[in-house]
Amino acid sequence: MNILYPDLKAKTILITGGLGFLASQFIKALEHNFCKVIILDKKKSNKKNFFYCDITKESDLKSVYRRIKKKYKSIDVLINNAANNYGAGSKLTELRLENFSDKIWDDDLKVGLKGAMLCTKIFGSEMSKQKLGGNIINISSDLGIISPDNRIYKKNFVKPVTYSVIKHGIIGLTKYTATYWPKKVRCNAIAFGGMKNNQDKNFIKKIQKLIPMGRMGKKNEYNNVLLFLSSNASSYINGTTIVVDGGRTIL
Ligand SMILES: NC(=O)c1ccc[n+]([C@@H]2O[C@H](COP(=O)([O-])OP(=O)(O)OC[C@H]3O[C@@H](n4cnc5c(N)ncnc54)[C@H](O)[C@@H]3O)[C@@H](O)[C@H]2O)c1
């Protein structure tokens, strides 16, 4: 069940990677709170309030920003959620650090870190000039706090180094942003643990052993923290990382 925050009704919220798996849950919860959600993604869509945009390209972002500015009064909340999520379907030889390619490193960091920084630069700058300021939420991971445990994955998989670097980096970007326009823009991160989503049974068995609550997150267990951080209910929370992981990172 999603909590209702009355102040969200008046807010316009922009989410990057808005056509992805987690974003679809977030958007439902936000729309249930009657806020306007603007979606940016590099996939195509006919959804309302959708803007095609590759967030790694500053020129794309600037042109989308101009179109958004004409159409909407303000952006109150930016959610940096987009990710390249390199790894699935790749060969073990390519995933291993010994062979990790420059190109994959660049492509992954371009979306996860540069993209988040560019969105912060463009939309955060605008927020810093708004009368009511703004609010940025960065999506990190439990693996932005601890290392992946490569023993839990299938034999032919290791978590790519870029995932750790991006998710730790996002927490750094959060702290930097939180102190950059502190009177106008607050910024926080959410470190989600893995959500259950038809993963391999063996993997689920192994990861559950690393989580004090003994299970992965369920679809509806990630939304409320996002709603809370988006709303004025969290108005004095700035620069922190809220961990939603069943306790995995405290072990
Ligand atoms: N799924 C999980 O269990 C989980 C757990 C912890 C953290 N996360 C984090 O949550 C966020 C969302 O994860 P997800 O599982 O929904 O991923 P996803 O792959 O389903 O969605 C990512 C979206 O980002 C978009 N995207 C990629 N590159 C882009 C670009 N250059 N410009 C614009 N859009 C781009 C993709 O098209 C896609 O729609 C990610 O940051 C991920 O690391 C996910």
Side-chain angles (χ1 to χ4, degrees):
M1 197 184 77
N2 297 318
I3 294 171
L4 288 174
Y5 292 96
D7 67 288
L8 285 181
K9 200 174 175 178
K11 292 196 196 295
T12 301
I13 301 190
L14 186 149
I15 183 163
T16 68
L19 297 179
F21 168 64
L22 279 191
S24 66
Q25 305 298 317
F26 298 153
I27 292 168
K28 263 190 230 153
L30 290 165
E31 288 182 341
H32 183 66
N33 272 267
F34 307 105
C35 44
K36 199 170 280 155
V37 184
I38 301 174
I39 299 171
L40 258 52
D41 206 292
K42 67 161 193 188
K43 287 189 277 199
K44 298 244 159 80
S45 167
N46 295 322
K47 286 196 171 165
K48 69 170 188 248
N49 302 321
F50 171 80
F51 292 83
Y52 172 83
C53 179
D54 179 346
I55 60 158
T56 67
K57 295 191 179 133
E58 190 161 5
S59 54
D60 267 30
L61 270 170
K62 281 190 171 156
S63 106
V64 159
Y65 162 74
R66 282 192 293 271
R67 286 162 60 209
I68 288 176
K69 224 184 150 186
K70 269 190 205 156
K71 206 167 161 196
Y72 307 88
K73 214 168 60 233
S74 61
I75 302 286
D76 305 297
V77 183
L78 161 69
I79 305 172
N80 279 316
N81 165 78
N84 201 29
N85 282 338
Y86 165 72
S90 303
K91 286 191 192 135
L92 179 64
T93 47
E94 288 164 10
L95 290 164
R96 288 200 61 89
L97 189 55
E98 292 89 333
N99 310 317
F100 209 80
S101 85
D102 269 18
K103 184 179 174 333
I104 295 170
W105 171 271
D106 290 346
D107 288 351
D108 242 10
L109 264 65
K110 237 187 193 173
V111 180
L113 286 180
K114 183 182 167 191
M117 182 280 289
L118 287 176
C119 291
T120 301
K121 171 179 164 182
I122 291 170
F123 297 105
S125 301
E126 181 63 21
M127 286 173 175
S128 74
K129 293 182 224 145
Q130 289 171 178
K131 195 166 166 230
L132 295 177
N135 174 7
I136 300 176
I137 302 169
N138 292 327
I139 305 300
S140 182
S141 158
D142 52 355
L143 302 183
I145 296 171
I146 56 170
S147 163
D149 184 339
N150 279 319
R151 295 168 302 183
I152 67 177
Y153 301 107
K154 284 188 201 160
K155 265 202 205 128
N156 58 353
F157 187 83
V158 291
K159 198 80 178 166
V161 60
T162 40
Y163 196 81
S164 278
V165 171
I166 290 165
K167 293 307 174 190
H168 278 76
I170 276 290
I171 292 176
L173 176 67
T174 301
K175 292 177 186 169
Y176 185 91
T177 309
T179 56
Y180 193 79
W181 302 290
K183 303 245 163 66
K184 283 293 197 175
V185 181
R186 62 194 179 92
C187 178
N188 294 287
I190 310 176
F192 289 119
M195 187 190 278
K196 199 166 176 188
N197 180 26
N198 298 320
Q199 290 96 338
D200 169 69
K201 275 192 190 132
N202 223 354
F203 165 78
I204 295 180
K205 238 192 221 166
K206 288 183 186 163
I207 198 170
Q208 282 175 346
K209 289 199 180 128
L210 302 177
I211 303 170
M213 288 181 74
R215 62 174 180 83
M216 297 182 81
K218 295 180 198 158
K219 255 190 182 174
N220 60 352
E221 288 181 311
Y222 288 24
N223 297 336
N224 280 322
V225 69
L226 187 94
L227 294 175
F228 170 66
L229 281 181
S230 301
S231 96
N232 298 341
S234 57
S235 56
Y236 197 52
I237 299 184
N238 186 32
T240 199
T241 298
I242 299 187
V243 183
V244 184
D245 71 345
R248 177 170 176 193
T249 51
I250 58 166
L251 280 181

